[in-house]
Amino acid sequence: MREFPKPRVVVSRCIEVDHCRYNGQIISSDFVKSLQPYVQFLPVCPEVEIGLGVPRDSVRLVSTNREKETRLVQPATDRDVTAEMNTFAGSFLDAVGDVDGFILKASSPSCGIRNTKVYPTAGRSAALTRSASGLFGAAVLARHPHLAVEDEGRLRNPRIKEHFMTKLFTLASFREVKRSGSMEELLRFQTENKMLLLAYHQAEARALGAIAANHDHRPFSEVAGDYEPHLAKALCRARRYTSNINVLMHIFGHFKGRLSAGEKAIFLDNVQRYRDGKITICPNTTILKAWVARFEDEYLGSQTFFEPYPEDLIEVDPAVSHRGRDLWR
């Protein structure tokens, strides 16, 4: 089992923390609950912070054609809180320090990162014109475009959730490397993440390897400064299954000469089944991990490709788990 640093994650306070939605409710999220032992949450409710209170009249995004901008308005009171929200967002992001990710309320006019409704006027019956980010969410995306940023709605999707957690814990590990100021730690990070980075972005993985090698013997601050934007670019999108297969075959090559024909056939058949979408990647990684243990390969055993985030955060669909409902009773 790997040891993981605790990521620092800003979370909308209304998600599993406090009854601070406009109607006094709290949002339930099994994912956020599951993360609680493994991350340091930094809760925030921008609407409460600017003095709107709980409960409160709801706010909405309004598009003003004359000014060609989006305002945050409370229709019931005609109060425009755009300036207050923008000021708070800037001051909060200035003060919060190093963070690794954000989990924000979906479609919120303050916290939403996408698909928040924008109206042509503040009137209650106004028709929807388009969608955008909420004001606080937009400030987060502008300030931290390369961090792990998602809303709790999208995190119900298994692929989005897996990418978010991989990115979150990888960035948290790199933050620890930066804090160490050690070239040895940076090289260790690059070595342990080599296969994972290859699965994400082959060109950036090669660039990161060259930077970490530091053949010019530059100081740590310069090397880490060059390394970080390439790491961000490598992790900017989820892994493709074809890239996963490339890494599976690369690791397979380490053992190829020491395996029986039957062992090879079983593995290659599983890879094809994964390619065809008939199984997940897990049977393939399980076989490889068994060979890592069998041949005592310390280099491959340290690869985060096999465990990019704590195993306890892996969820199995109850419909296929033996712990689900017993249908034969």
Side-chain angles (χ1 to χ4, degrees), residues 100-120:
D100 306 300
F102 292 77
I103 300 176
L104 301 177
K105 178 67 191 76
S107 304
S108 162
S110 54
C111 287
I113 58 173
R114 54 174 60 80
N115 297 330
T116 298
K117 296 177 180 179
V118 181
Y119 298 87

Side-chain angles (χ1 to χ4, degrees), residues 91-320:
S91 62
F92 176 85
L93 295 174
D94 285 342
V96 73
D98 290 334
V99 294
D100 306 300
F102 292 77
I103 300 176
L104 301 177
K105 178 67 191 76
S107 304
S108 162
S110 54
C111 287
I113 58 173
R114 54 174 60 80
N115 297 330
T116 298
K117 296 177 180 179
V118 181
Y119 298 87
T121 68
R124 291 179 179 273
S125 61
L128 174 68
T129 61
R130 58 184 173 87
S131 61
S133 301
L135 294 194
F136 182 80
V140 168
L141 293 173
R143 183 77 68 93
H144 298 295
H146 303 306
L147 294 186
V149 181
E150 276 297 348
D151 64 53
E152 100 290 351
R154 280 171 50 87
L155 285 168
R156 298 188 191 102
N157 180 287
R159 288 193 65 208
I160 293 173
K161 179 168 61 178
E162 180 184 22
H163 173 57
F164 175 85
M165 289 195 293
T166 300
K167 186 173 183 178
L168 181 68
F169 283 92
T170 303
L171 293 177
S173 293
F174 183 68
R175 175 169 51 81
E176 292 292 298
V177 170
K178 288 193 296 180
R179 190 170 69 173
S180 76
S182 165
M183 280 302 309
E184 182 179 350
E185 286 300 301
L186 178 59
L187 189 59
R188 179 193 57 78
F189 176 88
Q190 170 63 26
T191 300
E192 293 181 353
N193 285 281
K194 181 178 179 179
M195 298 300 168
L196 181 67
L197 293 171
L198 280 172
Y200 265 97
H201 199 301
Q202 291 186 28
E204 289 300 330
R206 288 192 291 271
L208 288 163
I211 294 168
N214 193 23
H215 295 304
D216 296 331
H217 304 288
R218 295 184 298 156
F220 173 84
S221 59
E222 290 184 15
V223 178
D226 286 348
Y227 191 95
E228 189 165 17
H230 286 276
L231 178 63
K233 188 174 180 181
L235 298 173
C236 69
R237 59 168 175 77
R239 291 182 277 171
R240 294 188 173 97
Y241 77 95
T242 50
S243 298
N244 279 333
I245 290 173
N246 287 338
V247 173
L248 292 173
M249 295 304 296
H250 184 85
I251 298 174
F252 172 63
H254 282 251
F255 305 112
K256 193 173 180 181
R258 294 178 280 179
L259 302 171
S260 70
E263 288 174 311
K264 295 176 188 177
I266 290 172
F267 177 75
L268 294 174
D269 178 64
N270 271 338
V271 170
Q272 186 60 48
R273 285 166 60 80
Y274 172 58
R275 189 191 307 275
D276 294 339
K278 295 180 179 179
I279 60 174
T280 68
I281 195 174
C282 291
N284 302 282
T285 55
T286 299
I287 292 173
L288 291 175
K289 285 193 290 185
W291 291 339
V292 168
R294 173 179 161 189
F295 297 113
E296 300 181 345
D297 193 311
E298 293 184 6
Y299 166 68
L300 289 176
S302 70
Q303 290 300 306
T304 59
F305 176 79
F306 292 116
E307 191 184 358
Y309 50 83
E311 285 188 343
D312 287 347
L313 292 175
I314 297 174
E315 294 182 3
V316 178
D317 187 340
V320 298

Side-chain angles (χ1 to χ4, degrees), residues 64 67 69 71-74 77-84:
T64 59
E67 299 177 29
E69 64 178 344
R71 312 291 296 181
L72 185 62
V73 177
Q74 194 172 50
T77 62
D78 288 329
R79 181 181 174 186
D80 186 319
V81 293
T82 307
E84 293 96 320

